[in-house]
Amino acid sequence: MEIIVCVKQVPDTTEVKIDPQTNTLIRQGVPSIVNPFDKNAVEEALQLKEKHGGRVTVISMGPPQAKDALKECIALGADEAILLSDRAFGGADTLATSHTLAAGIKKLGLFDVILCGKQAIDGDTAQVGPEIAEHLAIAQITYVSRLDIADGTVRAEREHEEGYEIIETRLPVLLSVVKSINEPRYPSIKGTMKANRKEITVWTAADIDVQPEQIGLKGSPTQVRRIFTPQQRVQGEIIQEDDARTAVKRLLTKLNQAKII
């Protein structure tokens, strides 16, 4: 089974900084981690490999420092890693990002399963995975909390606000997973040594089939126009009286004074 996992290196959520000129995240020099939901995707890929055999390839789009995230995935057990890195990719919204990742996946060749975390913690859009599936014209199941694949049929338990639903489809498929699907493993000493020796393959815009107007800021119909801190809300008042009637009378008086009633 050929399995591809899309991963993202994200800033530590307590260290997010915005470039005031471009309104994009500042990533250089900022402590970064592997997106937590993507770790669940990597774990599920490794479990599929252990059950069905095959290979796990991780792919990411980001600056050169994203190699660290890919090496962490290699340490966990992934076989290969590809980094899509080019200044031309900078400032991409979800559409341009998904287009770039889909082009990288096409260059990799045949695949059975693509796994993604349900969303990245820096953007929280949950859009890139489904958009990749659309670019590749394959089936997709989102928010997967349980998965079974047998004889080319995918049976997934999909989590949503009102409970769960069971969905079946055929391979190839893209699946975005939630945290409850598994518990990510820790890297082994052997895996860490392998990752330290591993040279991460880097592809630029010239290496994949994309046009300049499809990637980066040029390929992003969604743009941030302004970033601001919301005005702090004025603290309310708690009316405390021993007698309920007195408390209600005070409340009505204040509502009248505020011209609310």
Side-chain angles (χ1 to χ4, degrees):
M1 180 176 288
E2 291 294 328
I3 307 163
I4 296 174
V5 187
C6 298
V7 302
K8 184 179 183 182
Q9 187 184 56
V10 296
D12 189 302
T13 52
T14 62
E15 297 287 343
V16 172
K17 299 177 182 178
I18 303 294
D19 186 326
Q21 300 299 319
T22 63
N23 288 332
T24 58
L25 290 175
I26 297 174
R27 299 185 184 276
Q28 296 297 330
V30 178
S32 298
I33 58 174
V34 177
N35 182 49
F37 293 109
D38 296 346
K39 284 190 174 182
N40 294 101
V42 171
E43 175 61 31
E44 196 64 21
L46 296 175
Q47 291 186 21
L48 288 174
K49 174 187 171 182
E50 290 165 356
K51 184 176 180 179
H52 301 283
R55 289 165 52 84
V56 173
T57 302
V58 290
I59 185 169
S60 182
M61 188 190 88
Q65 70 186 53
K67 288 182 180 180
D68 294 337
L70 294 175
K71 282 182 175 288
E72 184 173 340
C73 295
I74 294 292
L76 291 171
D79 300 289
E80 296 293 338
I82 305 292
L83 175 62
L84 305 175
S85 187
D86 194 311
R87 287 189 178 274
F89 299 149
D93 68 357
T94 60
L95 183 63
T97 298
S98 63
H99 184 87
T100 303
L101 287 168
I105 290 170
K106 287 179 181 177
K107 183 178 174 68
L108 282 171
L110 296 176
F111 58 85
D112 298 296
V113 178
I114 301 173
L115 284 159
C116 308
K118 74 165 186 174
Q119 63 195 55
I121 61 171
D122 57 350
D124 288 327
T125 64
Q127 294 175 353
V128 172
E131 287 175 350
I132 291 173
E134 287 297 310
H135 289 309
L136 298 174
I138 61 173
Q140 60 175 291
I141 306 176
T142 56
Y143 302 102
V144 175
S145 58
R146 187 174 300 174
L147 177 64
D148 183 63
I149 300 178
D151 299 323
T153 297
V154 179
R155 183 179 176 87
E157 184 180 89
R158 183 177 184 272
E159 183 180 275
H160 57 83
E161 292 180 354
E162 298 180 356
Y164 300 89
E165 58 187 3
I166 305 299
I167 298 178
E168 285 190 358
T169 188
R170 299 285 296 176
L171 297 175
V173 66
L174 182 142
L175 306 163
S176 70
V177 303
V178 298
K179 290 189 72 66
S180 60
I181 193 170
N182 56 45
E183 185 67 33
R185 67 191 68 187
Y186 291 99
S188 64
I189 295 177
K190 181 178 179 181
T192 301
M193 293 175 63
K194 176 184 176 183
N196 290 336
R197 296 191 303 267
K198 186 73 173 178
E199 284 295 325
I200 304 298
T201 300
V202 179
W203 290 343
T204 66
D207 297 314
I208 57 178
D209 185 16
V210 291
Q211 300 300 317
E213 63 273 11
Q214 297 173 320
I215 59 177
L217 280 173
K218 290 183 179 179
S220 302
T222 305
Q223 296 183 9
V224 178
R225 297 297 185 186
R226 183 167 67 101
I227 295 175
F228 63 95
T229 302
Q231 185 176 357
Q232 186 174 1
R233 293 183 178 181
V234 178
Q235 293 292 330
E237 179 184 349
I238 299 176
I239 297 175
Q240 293 180 328
E241 296 287 350
D242 294 332
D243 179 62
R245 288 182 177 274
T246 304
V248 171
K249 186 176 180 179
R250 280 190 60 192
L251 174 61
L252 291 174
T253 300
K254 288 184 176 294
L255 291 176
N256 272 305
Q257 290 173 345
K259 297 182 179 181
I260 296 175
I261 59 173

